[in-house]
Amino acid sequence: MQIMHVDKQSYRKNTNIVIATFVASLAILALVFGTLLIQFFGTVIVPDDGSTGNFHLNVLGVILSLAVCSAVLNSQKNKPYMREVYYVWRLKQLHNQIYRKLAKIKLAAENNDTNAFIILSFYFASLKQVYSLDNNTLTISTVEKDLNQLNEKIASLGLTISAEQFEPELLEKI
């Protein structure tokens, strides 16, 4: 995966639209599905008892609405307005994969492993991009410091390493 340029305003706008649409659709569809399921398969309300016994149908309505919303979102992921949102989402998934192996990767980097340098270079550069897009100003300075230290070590070894060399398959080699 290559790091691509993302317009911050466009990304924030599209992300907010996607999130708001997803939440609103989920709520409306859950109510619609729950109501329809209760209408066709529900039990009769007992006047003295507060329970209708239809809780499982409401839960099924939420599950169905989640499935529908997820399917629609999945079908839209390659549309132009979703390009940046989907890119950042995939980037965050990749960050999670790298983070789970970060201790091993850092240990390999201490032993001057080229693949570890490539992974860390990509990790810090892409993390800096995501933090900038998400306005995470608290930890971006730490990432910049880590990236600078990594670049200094790479330069001191006389290597030419860049984030563009990263391939997800490198994670399997560490």
Side-chain angles (χ1 to χ4, degrees):
M1 174 179 233
Q2 299 298 315
I3 296 175
M4 66 181 227
H5 172 74
V6 176
D7 178 52
K8 187 174 182 175
Q9 283 72 31
S10 172
Y11 165 74
R12 297 299 301 163
K13 178 182 149 219
N14 291 347
T15 300
N16 290 338
I17 289 171
V18 168
I19 290 171
T21 303
F22 185 84
V23 169
S25 299
L26 184 66
I28 292 168
L29 286 175
L31 289 171
V32 169
F33 285 143
T35 303
L36 289 173
L37 288 169
I38 290 170
Q39 180 69 34
F40 292 115
F41 305 109
T43 59
V44 179
I45 298 173
V46 179
D48 294 333
D49 187 14
S51 174
T52 61
N54 295 322
F55 177 75
H56 64 287
L57 294 175
N58 282 321
V59 170
L60 183 58
V62 171
I63 292 169
L64 287 173
S65 66
L66 183 61
V68 168
C69 288
S70 297
V72 169
L73 195 59
N74 187 48
S75 72
Q76 299 299 307
K77 69 183 178 189
N78 293 319
K79 302 289 184 193
Y81 66 90
M82 284 286 291
R83 185 178 67 93
E84 293 171 336
V85 175
Y86 184 57
Y87 161 75
V88 173
W89 180 74
R90 289 183 318 167
L91 203 55
K92 288 179 178 181
Q93 286 184 321
L94 200 49
H95 288 163
N96 285 334
Q97 290 175 358
I98 294 171
Y99 184 77
R100 287 192 295 269
K101 291 187 168 191
L102 195 56
K104 285 183 181 179
I105 296 168
K106 285 184 175 182
L107 183 63
E110 288 177 15
N111 294 325
N112 300 332
D113 184 323
T114 306
N115 289 336
F117 288 143
I118 293 170
I119 293 168
L120 288 174
S121 180
F122 172 82
Y123 180 66
F124 292 136
S126 60
L127 204 57
K128 181 179 172 185
Q129 180 185 34
V130 170
Y131 284 175
S132 175
L133 291 171
D134 289 342
N135 291 327
N136 184 347
T137 57
L138 292 175
T139 53
I140 199 165
S141 60
T142 305
V143 172
E144 289 173 339
K145 186 182 100 182
D146 291 341
L147 182 58
N148 288 336
Q149 288 175 346
L150 178 67
N151 288 335
E152 288 172 8
K153 182 168 184 173
I154 291 170
S156 71
L157 294 170
L159 299 173
T160 306
I161 302 288
S162 71
E164 289 77 30
Q165 294 173 292
F166 176 78
E167 295 293 330
E169 294 79 27
L170 290 176
L171 290 171
E172 296 168 12
K173 296 180 181 180
I174 299 287

